[in-house]
Structure formats: structure tokens, C-alpha cells
């Protein structure tokens, strides 16, 4: 059985960066495997208006524009509503992520092996070292951002290839759709 995949990208301004993200997904992801949902958080620039027009011409992209910047958590929840039950797997990528060949297959393989959620490694431009690996909640109770593990390590280092609990998810995640139903989506207070 082929899993239906929904990819969610949130944008705010930075049209060039968002377009590179979308083009990288299209370049290394079979078109029949996914539908992309783009929610723009109230951008106003002419570059973003052109980007949104370009996106609306692509049949695999569904666009929603919010009237103001409500933050990425709110926008991701909008994407979850747009997707409904049409996908088995939901992927969220920040708009500055560049997908590499095999990214989706690796994530789906981890889900098929029993994981509920996969945090892809974010690599430095050299493609060999990790910029951000798995995340964990910071020990400081006032810190809202996760602690990223494995910064600067080789992509094959065991620390960045561990399976474990994820109490917080950073900039990218691949999850079974029902995971979002169980946790109630994203906490929209996180801007």
C-alpha cells in the first residue's frame, strides 16, 4: 500500500527561500507521492505575491493566505485542517529547508519500522555534518526552543540516529496523521 503524504510549508516573506524549498521537494520527491500545502502568514511583498501566483498554477500545491502573521504553530494547524483525513503521513518543513534525494523514503521507512514521528537531520552546506539533529526539551524551564543534539557531528554518528521519545519537535518532522489528532495539533501560543 502506498501511503498518501501531505507536506506542509509555512511562509512569511522570504519568497526566494520558500521557492527553493518547494523546488527542492519537487526535484527529489515523486509527484504522485505527495500534495504540498503552503500557508502564508500575511506576507505583503510583491515577491511573495508572485510566488503565490506561481504556486497556485501547480496542481500539487494548495495555497492559503492568512491576513496577518499568526506564527508557524497557528499556520501548521491551518494546514492540518486543510489536509483533514486525506493523508496518512504529514510532513512539516520550515520554508528554509532544502530537501535532498531520498529524504522522504528515509522518513517513511522509519515510520514503517514503527516510529510515530521522525525528525530529519538538518545538515550544514557541506552535506556531511549536522546543523541540528534530534531535539529534546531544554532543562531550563523558561526556554521555549528545543535543544538540538548532535550539532557539528557527522551524519552517521549514533547520537543523531537514535530512536527515542520526542517531547518537542523543531523545524522539520514526518509523522503519522493520527499523531496530530492524539496531541491536538500545535500549541498556537508558540509564535
Amino acid at each position: 500500500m502506498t501511503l498518501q503524504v501531505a507536506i506542509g510549508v509555512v511562509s512569511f516573506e522570504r519568497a526566494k527561500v520558500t521557492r527553493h524549498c518547494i523546488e527542492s521537494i519537487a526535484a527529489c520527491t515523486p509527484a504522485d507521492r505527495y500534495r504540498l500545502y503552503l500557508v502564508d502568514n500575511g506576507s505583503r511583498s510583491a515577491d511573495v505575491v508572485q510566488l503565490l501566483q506561481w504556486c497556485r498554477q501547480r496542481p500539487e500545491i494548495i495555497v492559503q493566505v492568512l491576513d496577518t502573521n499568526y506564527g508557524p504553530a497557528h499556520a501548521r494547524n491551518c494546514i492540518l485542517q486543510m489536509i483533514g483525513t486525506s493523508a496518512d503521513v504529514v510532513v512539516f518543513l520550515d520554508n528554509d529547508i532544502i530537501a535532498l534525494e531520498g529524504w522522504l523514503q528515509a522518513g517513511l521507512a522509519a515510520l514503517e519500522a514503527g516510529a510515530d514521528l521522525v525528525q530529519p537531520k538538518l545538515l550544514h552546506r557541506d552535506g556531511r555534518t549536522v546543523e541540528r539533529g534530534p531535539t529534546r526539551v531544554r532543562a531550563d524551564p523558561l526556554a521555549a526552543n528545543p535543544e538540538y543534539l548532535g550539532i557539528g557531528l557527522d551524519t552517521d554518528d549514533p547520537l543523531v540516529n537514535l530512536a527515542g521519545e520526542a517531547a518537542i519537535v523543531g523545524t522539520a518532522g514526518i509523522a503519522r496523521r493520527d499523531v496530530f489528532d492524539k496531541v491536538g495539533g500545535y500549541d498556537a501560543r508558540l509564535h
Side-chain angles (χ1 to χ4, degrees):
M1 178 179 83
T2 301
L3 296 173
Q4 295 302 312
V5 178
I7 301 172
V9 175
V10 175
S11 67
F12 178 68
E13 298 301 346
R14 300 174 46 178
K16 184 176 180 181
V17 170
T18 303
R19 185 167 178 150
H20 284 293
C21 174
I22 293 168
E23 288 174 337
S24 76
I25 293 166
C28 63
T29 311
D32 63 339
R33 292 300 312 267
Y34 75 97
R35 170 158 279 162
L36 192 140
Y37 296 81
L38 175 69
V39 170
D40 182 77
N41 254 326
S43 299
R44 301 283 186 252
S45 69
D47 288 349
V48 173
V49 170
Q50 290 177 344
L51 171 71
L52 297 173
Q53 289 172 344
W54 175 79
C55 288
R56 287 183 178 111
Q57 295 171 359
R58 300 178 64 108
E60 76 278 12
I61 302 176
I62 296 172
V63 177
Q64 180 178 358
V65 178
L66 303 178
D67 61 349
T68 192
N69 187 348
Y70 295 102
H74 177 86
R76 288 182 179 130
N77 287 334
C78 290
I79 290 170
L80 289 170
Q81 289 177 348
M82 293 164 65
I83 294 166
T85 59
S86 67
D88 306 303
V89 174
V90 179
V91 177
F92 282 107
L93 301 176
D94 278 2
N95 67 333
D96 62 351
I97 301 287
I98 300 297
L100 300 176
E101 194 66 45
W103 76 277
L104 182 59
Q105 295 87 336
L108 293 177
L111 294 180
E112 289 170 8
D116 290 320
L117 179 134
V118 179
Q119 292 183 349
K121 291 176 261 190
L122 304 180
L123 306 179
H124 286 283
R125 289 184 184 263
D126 65 14
R128 296 184 320 272
T129 55
V130 175
E131 180 180 320
R132 295 183 216 158
T135 58
R136 67 179 174 202
V137 176
R138 290 184 185 268
D140 179 358
L142 299 177
N145 293 317
E147 178 181 358
Y148 296 99
L149 305 177
I151 296 172
L153 295 178
D154 185 76
T155 59
D156 293 331
D157 190 284
L159 179 64
V160 295
N161 292 292
L162 294 174
E165 289 188 20
I168 190 165
V169 178
T171 60
I174 303 170
R176 299 179 188 284
R177 175 62 177 97
D178 64 340
V179 168
F180 293 102
D181 295 332
K182 289 176 186 173
V183 299
Y186 285 85
D187 184 340
R189 296 173 299 176
L190 298 176
H191 200 284

